[in-house]
Amino acid sequence: MRSGMKNIFWNIDRMRWVLGMLYLFCLSDAFAEFVHPGVTHSQASIDFVKEKIAAGEEPWTTAWEKLRSSRYADLDWKPEPHARVERGPSNNPDIGSSEFTNDGRAAYYHSLCWTLTGKEAHAKKAAEILDAWSATLKSIGHHDARLLIGMSGYHYCIAAELIRHTWNGWPEAKQAGFRKMLREIWYPVIVDFYPSANGNWDASMLQCMIGMGVFLDDRAMFDRAKDYYLSGKGNGAIGNYFMESGQCQETGRDQAHTQMGLEFLANTCETAWIQGIDLYGALDNRLLKGFEYTAKYNLGFDVPYEPYRSFEGRYHYKKISDDSRGRLRPMYERVYNHFHNRKGLNAPHTQQAALKLRTEQPERRDRRSRRGRRRRSSSSELDILMFAGQPATFAARRKAAAAKSHSDGTEASPARTSPNIILILTDDQGYGDLGRHGHPLLKTPHTDRLHDESVRFDNFYVSPSCSPTRAALLTGIHEFRNGVTHTQQPREHLNRDAIILPQLLQKVGYRTGFIGKWHLGGGKEYVPNDRGFEWTVTNQGGPRVHFDPIMIRNGKRQKRKGYRENLFFDEAMTFIDANQTKNREQGTKNPFFCYLSTYSPHTPLAAPEEFIAPFRGKVDDEKATYLAMVANIDMNVGRLLKFLKDRDLEENTIVVFMNDNGQTKGLDVYNAGMRGCKCTIWEGGSRAMSFWRWPGHWQPHQVDNLTAHLDVVPTLCKLAGVPIPADLQSKLDGFSLVPLLEAKGPTKWHDDRLLFHHVARWPGGLAAAHQYAMCAVRQGNHLLLRSNPCNEPKCENYSSQCTTLRAVRNGLKTTTYTSGNAQFHWGVSPPDRWVLFNRKADPACQNDLSNQHPQLVKKLAIAYDNWWTEIFPQMIAAGGDKGEFPLRKKPNTTR
């Protein structure tokens, strides 16, 4: 009776899970791109192992030596395909079954050897095996056919996935043959699982089916496996295979089959995890409970046991079985890696089992096929090599929405080691507005400290003005591709189809907050809360209201006392505290992403008097107020850094500090020796600060490689473990900065990179005439540019940057941001040709090198023309040439 009641409770538990997940999974994107390679092993995990082998680190090196010396990795391996395979009960009869199993493992081993060494012979051998079977096999049958495909077909799927996505030598015709085998021979056998069998049968088919779905890019197949794992009627579904205690459906049968089922389920979870779904966490981490229970018993400890009868009454295990007790199956590393390294959970018995397997050679099975070949050998070296010690930041991670992955309906709960991220973007602050950058008046002790504790990208560039920078920053794509070519409507509207950083981070469980200035479009589908930010704060009146503003938090307005930027930083800290509170209340560990975008020191200018006073008498009132706004930002940076330390968040929070364009109202005070300001194409128009701080992870140092705001999205996605969808990856103009962040010294990194700049801001409809108006291309330390107005007569009817340059060409000395220095900062270059500068040796851009390096000029000029030809139609299609602009009134001013 007790056993029957227990089964009733199991079914109730399972139904709660099903109902809780039904709504969440209905929200999933059925057409989301798969991550490739993505069956059990991701590219990131492979790269991690390669690094460990290259460094000679243990336990990876010993495991690698064992794997590469395995008979399965022998290049003399000859596949033995059969047209008709049969596997009977306990593999009797065995007609091609052992050959199918052994060849699958060999293909798997060779695919790993290829990815870890780059030796093409291994890729060819893996493909040879896959092709031999796909060209020969006609059927798999008999009693154990489903089990055979589930257990061994899984290895073929991994091998095919790795070869297909890491090697270009597998002919498409051969791939098509392999796909046909999966769909027409394998899938019909396993499609309905085997609900009444012991759970390891279903579990084996789950690992194979979910791998087939990924390889075939078949979302329906993938989802069939996922859904069965969560709510299937068979013994292999998560709610049927485990009790709450961790006791398994086969614990009373024997320990070998119990561990087999556990391994197959873990493999299913690992593939799902790479693809963005946390099956590991189902039913309150039930899989971990099963592993802990089983490891504990097999390590010699007592565990509780309740008599078990399977749901259909076929199996009745009255007591725990000691058959095969203590014979550990090499499967514990992957589960310990997930729950401990990724999730930060304790798994002491799983850990002990994994460590024991590292030091003890598991018993080998020497049963032989009829051809005399051993059917299996230990795979402990594989489990250790590919899963030991994988840090959360290197593991390819979930891309699905947070709601998909948590069994109680809350957000996904990523690894405790997933870093929190704070991105601070100041508005119109110049690169030189910092004590550490030599400013003669500003004292910025807190930002100086941030500078000193950060990786500092000193050859870092943004766009020449505000909205374009924000568009590129949040997408990783040049602003022109999304039609953002101005700071005025409609050309400051970021294409509503663009995927931006918070949307990507949300998919791996980040809670996202935006505070401050947006400037990427208003209205439905354009505002922050429609673009991936769940917490949004700004102020009514934007930059025009500095004191006692009406703050708008998540749509609710409230009059507040104080200076606007102080309140913005207050709101950032409130958002962070709210995230921590939510984590405590819900038992989650969701990291946060806080995008804090100030209005300061953009015009109109205003600041508390205590910040202005130190500058009065040293500069005029306007400049004193500008410097005061910068000093206020510095004070708030100090407050935020102290807050992180007080909350014990310092070592798990990345702080990024940047400015959005070149110098403005402080131009005549100090510009770090650079020529140019906001809305110019000169060096000072786009060079920006870029400080990246992560205590305990990165050693502070300066990086001189050419880098940009375009690199922020791929970098933060890499650090957060966000798998970028393939269609988005192909559009990115930026690169991951992680190698530079982790470097100990100067490092080669995309040294041939080209960066393209254009001031844009042309009158609507005149984009084509501005191809060579205020444009530049960078490579290394070289800057090739044209600082000229366009030659289009219609443009002269409007106020624009061309208006200013025409006036400067005619002798104008005072214009936007400068009194008396327009000829320098807004200077016009010689007409109809490019000029070349070494921005490091000559930041003032005084020494034109074009005559000394004609081939470089030619190469960069051609690159620019090619870029414009490619990007122009994309920009037009995205709305980058729209808008009605007022006729010119003042020929010597800019907008």
Side-chain angles (χ1 to χ4, degrees):
M1 180 66 181
R2 185 178 181 186
S3 175
M5 289 301 295
K6 185 65 180 179
N7 290 333
I8 291 173
F9 291 141
W10 269 12
N11 288 329
I12 292 173
D13 194 18
R14 178 166 159 248
M15 286 306 300
R16 283 202 304 266
W17 162 250
V18 172
L19 293 172
M21 292 303 294
L22 181 60
Y23 169 70
L24 298 175
F25 280 87
C26 285
L27 295 179
S28 67
D29 180 1
F31 303 101
E33 295 284 345
F34 284 106
V35 175
H36 296 295
V39 180
T40 301
H41 308 302
S42 67
Q43 187 62 54
S45 65
I46 291 167
D47 291 343
F48 170 77
V49 174
K50 288 170 68 175
E51 291 174 7
K52 293 299 182 183
I53 294 172
E57 295 187 33
E58 296 293 352
W60 300 274
T61 300
T62 297
W64 165 239
E65 290 302 324
K66 289 181 179 179
L67 185 141
R68 70 191 298 190
S69 61
S70 165
R71 65 193 183 91
Y72 294 115
D74 192 331
L75 288 169
D76 290 330
W77 185 276
K78 301 297 182 185
E80 299 181 72
H82 284 55
R84 304 192 184 282
V85 172
E86 293 189 15
R87 174 179 164 126
S90 300
N91 207 24
N92 183 23
D94 173 4
I95 303 174
S97 171
S98 292
E99 288 80 0
F100 181 77
T101 295
N102 290 327
D103 281 344
R105 184 171 290 273
Y108 183 12
Y109 273 48
H110 280 290
S111 67
L112 285 176
C113 288
W114 149 248
T115 57
L116 294 174
T117 67
K119 293 182 178 178
E120 194 171 23
H122 288 291
K124 291 179 178 179
K125 180 60 65 174
E128 176 190 342
I129 297 168
L130 301 177
D131 295 342
W133 278 94
S134 62
T136 305
L137 185 66
K138 302 300 181 185
S139 67
I140 299 180
H142 218 292
H143 182 274
D144 284 9
R146 284 171 283 196
L147 185 62
L148 177 63
I149 293 173
M151 291 191 303
S152 299
Y154 164 71
H155 294 143
Y156 286 85
C157 290
I158 299 175
E161 176 77 357
L162 290 175
I163 295 302
R164 179 188 177 194
H165 294 286
T166 63
W167 182 53
N168 60 8
W170 193 14
E172 173 55 34
K174 300 293 187 181
Q175 294 184 42
F178 187 80
R179 291 194 294 268
K180 183 178 180 181
M181 179 179 69
L182 299 191
R183 289 191 183 278
E184 297 182 9
I185 300 175
W186 294 11
Y187 191 57
V189 177
I190 67 172
V191 63
D192 292 322
F193 300 97
Y194 195 171
S196 62
N198 277 299
N200 74 83
W201 283 63
D202 278 349
S204 73
M205 289 178 268
L206 283 169
Q207 66 172 0
C208 185
M209 187 182 294
I210 205 166
M212 288 167 61
V214 173
F215 175 77
L216 295 169
D217 287 301
D218 189 326
R219 178 61 59 178
M221 189 181 294
F222 178 92
D223 285 346
R224 184 173 182 83
K226 175 200 71 178
D227 294 342
Y228 194 92
Y229 176 93
L230 293 168
S231 56
K233 63 181 180 180
N235 287 314
I238 187 73
N240 290 333
Y241 201 69
F242 300 103
M243 287 185 176
E244 173 66 27
S245 66
Q247 179 182 321
C248 305
Q249 181 258 320
E250 297 183 89
T251 300
R253 181 188 181 191
D254 62 60
Q255 299 309 305
H257 284 94
T258 299
Q259 292 180 90
M260 186 186 298
L262 283 166
E263 179 185 359
F264 298 159
L265 292 176
N267 292 336
T268 304
C269 292
E270 185 64 22
T271 297
W273 177 265
I274 295 171
Q275 299 306 326
I277 295 174
D278 184 9
L279 296 184
Y280 278 114
L283 289 181
D284 191 25
N285 299 320
R286 189 68 61 87
L287 185 74
L288 174 61
K289 293 177 182 178
F291 265 80
E292 279 293 284
Y293 178 99
T294 303
K296 184 176 181 179
Y297 182 63
N298 282 276
L299 289 167
F301 300 100
D302 292 332
V303 293
Y305 183 82
E306 294 189 34
Y308 172 82
R309 186 184 296 275
S310 60
F311 76 95
E312 81 302 333
R314 181 177 178 182
Y315 302 107
H316 187 194
Y317 301 128
K318 298 179 180 180
K319 65 178 183 178
I320 195 167
S321 173
D322 61 2
D323 186 351
S324 302
R325 185 182 185 185
R327 187 181 299 167
L328 294 172
R329 186 177 179 90
M331 61 177 189
Y332 291 94
E333 293 280 3
R334 68 200 71 186
V335 172
Y336 180 71
N337 176 66
H338 175 80
F339 285 103
H340 181 75
N341 294 345
R342 289 177 182 158
K343 303 287 284 279
L345 301 177
N346 289 326
H349 298 104
T350 303
Q351 179 187 26
Q352 188 175 345
L355 293 175
K356 186 174 183 181
L357 283 163
R358 290 187 191 182
T359 56
E360 297 180 6
Q361 184 64 33
E363 179 181 334
R364 291 183 179 269
R365 297 170 58 184
D366 290 323
R367 290 184 293 170
R368 299 175 181 270
S369 71
R370 293 180 305 162
R371 299 178 184 273
R373 181 183 291 173
R374 282 183 307 182
R375 291 172 54 196
R376 292 200 56 185
S377 67
S378 166
S379 59
S380 63
E381 65 272 8
L382 195 154
D383 193 48
I384 296 167
L385 178 67
M386 299 309 298
F387 296 103
Q390 287 267 350
T393 51
F394 285 167
R397 237 104 46 78
R398 294 158 290 176
K399 70 173 185 176
K404 293 182 186 178
S405 60
H406 200 274
S407 59
D408 61 5
T410 63
E411 292 91 335
S413 181
R416 183 173 58 187
T417 51
S418 297
N420 304 308
I421 301 166
I422 300 174
L423 173 58
I424 303 172
L425 183 70
T426 63
D427 192 16
D428 278 7
Q429 181 178 5
Y431 169 90
D433 291 336
L434 186 70
R436 280 292 183 270
H437 287 173
H439 200 284
L441 299 179
L442 272 169
K443 289 180 171 38
T444 53
H446 306 294
T447 318
D448 288 350
R449 173 193 159 200
L450 180 62
H451 167 283
D452 295 346
E453 296 176 355
S454 294
V455 179
R456 306 174 294 278
F457 295 96
D458 205 51
N459 191 11
F460 185 91
Y461 295 89
V462 293
S463 305
S465 64
C466 169
S467 298
T469 285
R470 291 157 202 270
L473 174 70
L474 292 178
T475 64
I477 297 171
H478 194 283
E479 62 269 17
F480 277 24
R481 300 188 197 278
N482 281 306
V484 181
T485 57
H486 213 300
T487 56
Q488 296 184 11
Q489 294 188 21
R491 281 160 43 197
E492 35 72 272
H493 275 56
L494 176 63
N495 188 339
R496 63 187 177 186
D497 294 328
I499 298 172
I500 69 171
L501 180 59
Q503 293 167 318
L504 293 167
L505 292 173
Q506 276 187 326
K507 292 179 179 182
V508 294
Y510 275 76
R511 298 196 181 105
T512 55
F514 162 76
I515 296 100
K517 176 177 178 176
W518 180 239
H519 210 173
L520 287 174
K524 187 172 177 57
E525 298 186 78
Y526 290 100
V527 291
N529 51 296
D530 288 334
R531 310 209 70 155
F533 287 106
E534 57 197 84
W535 174 295
T536 61
V537 179
T538 189
N539 68 293
Q540 187 172 307
R544 298 182 298 279
V545 179
H546 299 83
F547 296 96
D548 302 337
I550 295 174
M551 301 295 287
I552 308 171
R553 180 198 294 173
N554 300 328
K556 296 182 180 180
R557 285 169 166 77
Q558 182 182 18
K559 181 78 171 177
R560 298 276 293 277
K561 290 287 187 182
Y563 184 58
R564 182 189 60 215
E565 258 57 38
N566 296 353
L567 296 175
F568 282 169
F569 277 81
D570 287 346
E571 287 291 334
M573 290 181 269
T574 300
F575 162 69
I576 293 168
D577 273 343
N579 179 70
Q580 301 306 99
T581 298
K582 197 169 185 179
N583 279 339
R584 287 192 297 272
E585 291 175 348
Q586 296 184 351
T588 55
K589 296 184 178 70
N590 296 64
F592 61 81
F593 168 59
C594 178
Y595 174 38
L596 173 54
S597 174
T598 70
Y599 279 112
S600 289
H602 195 288
T603 57
L605 305 178
E609 177 57 32
E610 65 265 29
F611 289 95
I612 301 175
F615 305 107
R616 291 197 186 278
K618 300 175 182 177
V619 291
D620 63 40
D621 286 350
E622 181 182 65
K623 294 181 180 64
T625 305
Y626 171 86
L627 296 176
M629 295 172 82
V630 175
N632 173 264
I633 291 172
D634 177 73
M635 180 273 291
N636 278 300
V637 167
R639 289 177 59 217
L640 182 61
L641 295 180
K642 182 178 184 300
F643 167 85
L644 293 175
K645 184 174 183 179
D646 291 345
R647 293 294 194 275
D648 198 27
L649 292 169
E650 196 173 38
E651 293 189 3
N652 199 33
T653 301
I654 295 171
V655 177
V656 181
F657 184 92
M658 295 170 48
N659 55 299
D660 71 339
N661 47 240
Q663 179 62 270
T664 54
K665 289 297 183 178
L667 181 63
D668 289 340
V669 180
Y670 183 72
N671 199 32
M674 296 182 295
R675 185 179 194 177
C677 57
K678 176 182 179 179
C679 294
T680 72
I681 203 62
W682 298 101
E683 173 71 1
S686 296
R687 189 181 180 193
M689 294 177 271
S690 184
F691 307 148
W692 296 62
R693 175 185 184 258
W694 193 7
H697 295 265
W698 302 327
Q699 289 298 316
H701 63 280
Q702 179 172 306
V703 174
D704 293 320
N705 304 71
L706 179 61
T707 51
H709 54 347
L710 295 164
D711 303 325
V712 171
V713 165
T715 304
L716 292 181
C717 284
K718 178 73 172 178
L719 293 167
V722 178
I724 298 176
D727 59 340
L728 176 59
Q729 183 70 57
S730 65
K731 298 175 185 176
L732 291 180
D733 292 306
F735 305 101
S736 170
L737 299 171
V738 170
L740 300 177
L741 290 165
E742 296 177 346
K744 306 302 182 185
T747 302
K748 285 188 173 297
W749 178 88
H750 299 288
D751 291 350
D752 58 349
R753 178 188 203 165
L754 299 172
L755 275 182
F756 300 97
H757 293 295
H758 201 296
V759 171
R761 302 173 71 88
W762 51 74
L766 300 180
H770 288 75
Q771 177 175 352
Y772 299 114
M774 294 164 285
C775 56
V777 55
R778 297 178 183 274
Q779 186 174 52
N781 286 317
H782 284 107
L783 169 62
L784 185 79
L785 65 83
R786 290 190 182 195
S787 180
N788 301 112
C790 74
N791 296 319
E792 171 56 56
K794 292 181 181 178
C795 183
E796 297 183 24
N797 297 324
Y798 300 91
S799 291
S800 70
Q801 269 52 53
C802 285
T803 310
T804 302
L805 290 193
R806 291 187 189 102
V808 170
R809 187 172 56 191
N810 292 331
L812 181 71
K813 295 182 180 179
T814 296
T815 189
T816 308
Y817 309 132
T818 181
S819 297
N821 292 309
Q823 292 293 314
F824 177 62
H825 289 302
W826 289 86
V828 179
S829 63
D832 301 321
R833 73 175 183 88
W834 296 94
V835 288
L836 179 71
F837 303 95
N838 184 317
R839 46 73 51 191
K840 186 171 186 179
D842 180 24
C845 298
Q846 297 295 289
N847 183 21
D848 178 11
L849 303 174
S850 58
N851 290 332
Q852 299 175 37
H853 301 285
Q855 291 304 312
L856 179 59
V857 171
K858 181 179 180 180
K859 182 184 80 168
L860 297 181
I862 290 173
Y864 177 82
D865 287 343
N866 291 338
W867 173 78
W868 179 268
T869 300
E870 177 210 349
I871 208 168
F872 183 80
Q874 298 178 35
M875 182 265 291
I876 296 297
D881 199 22
K882 292 182 177 180
E884 297 292 332
F885 293 86
L887 295 177
R888 177 167 61 91
K889 294 181 180 180
K890 297 180 180 180
N892 64 335
T893 61
T894 61
R895 313 226 304 272

